[in-house]
Amino acid sequence: MSGRLAIVGLGPGAPGLLAPDAAEALAAATDLVGYETYLARVAPRPEQRRHGSDNREELERARLALRLAAEGRRVAVVSSGDAGVFAMAAAVFEAVDQGEPAWRRLDIEVIPGITAMLAAAARVGAPLGHDFCCLSLSDNLKPWPVVLQRLEAAASADFVLALYNPISQARPWQLGQALQRLAAILPATTPVVFATAVSRPEERIEIVPLAEAAQAAADMRTVILVGSSQTRLLERGDGRRWVYTPRSCAGVPA
Amino acid sequence: MSGRLAIVGLGPGAPGLLAPDAAEALAAATDLVGYETYLARVAPRPEQRRHGSDNREELERARLALRLAAEGRRVAVVSSGDAGVFAMAAAVFEAVDQGEPAWRRLDIEVIPGITAMLAAAARVGAPLGHDFCCLSLSDNLKPWPVVLQRLEAAASADFVLALYNPISQARPWQLGQALQRLAAILPATTPVVFATAVSRPEERIEIVPLAEAAQAAADMRTVILVGSSQTRLLERGDGRRWVYTPRSCAGVPA
């Protein structure tokens, strides 16, 4: 039997948000490859080998998965959310591009999943109901000025923003600077959603105006949604609030 | 029993890409509300009422769903993909915002799904592996100059683009003009993916350079992914190609 490689997004965390195709690929694998924290979310099977690794070794992890598949194993590479959004799928194709010619003949399948911004948006209403941009605040893989330039371009064109990888121990100041840059463009009242570990037991959601966003708590499990000029808060009967962006807009503010 | 309203994304179409939480909400509903074409994807249950409508009556459909929930029914509003991305969730919250005060006390839940761009990206590799923007080309709900301005802003900042609602009978020329605008900014070789009805029997995928994109076939079921300056094609062993955007970039092209 020739090997195969499935690149699987686990969704935000709750088993109810994992699509059957993803569950099936995980069950069919002889080998699971991924960041330890994500592997821990997959129910163990005694006959399966697990190859856990540190969060930052994406390319090395991709190469390991490709080597195993080339040996004839059925490998599942595991990501949180959707594997194609700031996750392992791009790393695997980079490794194929730079690696053994034989890897191009492998049976590779990407199985999509529910990425964090979609789960976060659903939890608070419909903040992504109109045009939006999705970007990583990490400057590990791109220069920080590029991040700022993209934030500015997106906010100036009145896109809603979904910010991934907002902060980590090694990147403590970037989020503050990003919020400051956005505050120079967007109204102080712009709704900002900090959504952490959505659908998992430790879920935490905070909705704050942009002016107070720097005080909100974020960590590596947080995705941040920043509204556009059109994004609205809606008081619910129970004192909580929905956040939504109407489907229509009249124009881009000057 | 008091009513409730679940806003459910059906995913791209294949049953294997529908999360269990969404399937459960559909099964628990006394009433299904949605565009006829999407309702047809849900297996019929004899005890369930179905309220199908035309594609363009989103607000009226949202109000019907809210009225039914206020009467004590368990309602599922059905969208394709993710309900929060150019779909029914925003319409429901608009209707709540403008409607009966009692609607704010309803039990409303949004259940996220796999939106078209994620399914399309997975099919061809990892084109959304770096920062991207997601916008609707429809000028039914926003002025056309805003669409062009956003396309320009996003492409100039080197985001990958996911374009929803690219064309319809009532909007025949907008896609051509959008592609022309992008061609003035991006290299002629930029990979463009036309992904239609992904995961359904009629699925069709075309990968073309931007210079030839105007000749590709698109309809209402198509999502278009336009690469950034970094997006790469990768020849597979079988003559087909993967498309991916590397995780890293050195800078924004001048």
Side-chain angles (χ1 to χ4, degrees):
Chain A
M1 192 191 77
S2 79
R4 54 167 296 193
L5 180 59
I7 310 172
V8 182
L10 294 180
L17 296 177
L18 181 72
D21 279 0
E24 200 178 293
L26 294 172
T30 58
D31 295 73
L32 296 184
V33 174
Y35 172 38
E36 294 278 10
T37 305
Y38 300 150
L39 284 186
R41 285 203 217 147
V42 183
R45 291 171 173 261
E47 72 283 10
Q48 236 169 17
R49 287 197 229 156
R50 285 172 174 247
H51 311 265
S53 58
D54 182 76
N55 193 18
R56 279 164 298 181
E57 296 160 3
E58 292 189 336
L59 259 188
E60 194 37 60
R61 199 187 301 148
R63 288 188 201 108
L64 168 65
L66 289 159
R67 279 196 302 271
L68 290 167
E71 287 168 14
R73 315 278 305 169
R74 295 177 70 87
V75 184
V77 173
V78 165
S79 278
S80 183
D82 178 86
V85 177
F86 306 122
M88 282 300 294
V92 169
F93 291 106
E94 282 173 48
V96 172
D97 207 355
Q98 301 159 12
E100 304 289 329
W103 288 354
R104 294 177 183 235
R105 293 192 300 274
L106 286 173
D107 177 5
I108 301 179
E109 186 185 15
V110 185
I111 296 166
I114 295 171
T115 183
M117 67 179 166
L118 300 184
R123 212 48 131 208
V124 299
L128 303 179
H130 197 71
D131 302 334
F132 62 92
C133 292
C134 176
L135 67 163
S136 168
L137 286 193
S138 170
D139 57 353
N140 291 339
L141 294 163
K142 64 188 162 196
W144 182 244
V146 171
V147 179
L148 291 178
Q149 187 181 345
R150 289 187 182 160
L151 284 171
E152 238 172 54
S156 302
D158 215 24
F159 284 98
V160 173
L161 298 170
L163 307 178
Y164 281 64
N165 305 319
I167 199 162
S168 74
Q169 281 197 324
R171 296 181 289 104
W173 54 263
Q174 285 86 339
L175 173 58
Q177 199 175 110
L179 291 169
Q180 214 166 27
R181 190 62 65 104
L182 292 174
I185 301 167
L186 300 167
T189 53
T190 304
V192 181
V193 178
F194 283 69
T196 301
V198 173
S199 87
R200 301 201 292 278
E202 65 273 30
E203 174 177 310
R204 194 179 62 228
I205 308 274
E206 243 185 302
I207 302 170
V208 294
L210 179 55
E212 292 165 29
Q215 280 78 56
D219 60 36
M220 282 177 61
R221 301 160 306 166
T222 306
V223 66
I224 301 175
L225 308 177
V226 181
S228 72
S229 70
Q230 306 296 305
T231 304
R232 292 174 57 83
L233 292 170
L234 181 57
E235 299 292 333
R236 299 162 69 165
D238 61 4
R240 290 185 299 158
R241 289 173 299 174
W242 292 112
V243 185
Y244 80 97
T245 307
R247 298 159 306 140
S248 57
C249 77
V252 171
Chain B
M1 192 193 75
S2 79
R4 54 167 296 192
L5 181 58
I7 311 172
V8 183
L10 294 180
L17 295 177
L18 181 72
D21 280 359
E24 201 178 293
L26 294 172
T30 58
D31 295 72
L32 296 184
V33 174
Y35 172 38
E36 294 279 9
T37 306
Y38 301 150
L39 285 185
R41 285 203 216 147
V42 183
R45 290 170 174 262
E47 72 282 11
Q48 237 170 17
R49 288 197 228 157
R50 286 174 173 245
H51 311 265
S53 57
D54 182 76
N55 193 18
R56 279 164 298 182
E57 297 160 3
E58 291 189 337
L59 259 189
E60 195 36 61
R61 199 187 301 149
R63 288 189 201 107
L64 168 65
L66 289 159
R67 280 196 301 271
L68 290 167
E71 286 168 15
R73 315 278 304 168
R74 295 176 70 88
V75 183
V77 174
V78 165
S79 279
S80 184
D82 178 86
V85 177
F86 306 121
M88 281 300 295
V92 169
F93 291 106
E94 281 173 48
V96 172
D97 207 355
Q98 301 159 12
E100 304 288 329
W103 289 352
R104 295 178 184 235
R105 293 192 299 274
L106 286 173
D107 177 5
I108 301 178
E109 186 186 15
V110 185
I111 296 167
I114 294 172
T115 184
M117 67 179 165
L118 301 184
R123 213 47 131 208
V124 299
L128 303 178
H130 197 72
D131 302 334
F132 63 92
C133 291
C134 177
L135 69 163
S136 169
L137 286 194
S138 171
D139 56 354
N140 290 339
L141 294 163
K142 65 189 160 195
W144 182 244
V146 171
V147 179
L148 291 179
Q149 188 180 346
R150 289 187 181 159
L151 284 171
E152 238 171 54
S156 301
D158 215 24
F159 283 98
V160 173
L161 298 170
L163 308 178
Y164 281 65
N165 305 319
I167 199 161
S168 74
Q169 281 197 325
R171 297 181 289 102
W173 54 264
Q174 285 85 340
L175 173 58
Q177 199 175 108
L179 291 170
Q180 214 165 26
R181 190 61 65 103
L182 292 174
I185 301 167
L186 299 167
T189 52
T190 304
V192 181
V193 179
F194 284 70
T196 301
V198 173
S199 87
R200 301 201 292 279
E202 66 272 31
E203 175 177 309
R204 193 180 62 230
I205 308 274
E206 242 184 302
I207 302 169
V208 294
L210 180 54
E212 293 165 29
Q215 279 78 57
D219 60 36
M220 282 177 61
R221 303 160 305 166
T222 306
V223 66
I224 301 175
L225 307 177
V226 182
S228 72
S229 71
Q230 305 297 305
T231 303
R232 292 173 57 85
L233 292 171
L234 181 57
E235 300 293 332
R236 299 163 68 165
D238 60 5
R240 290 186 300 157
R241 290 171 300 173
W242 292 112
V243 185
Y244 80 97
T245 308
R247 298 159 306 141
S248 57
C249 78
V252 172

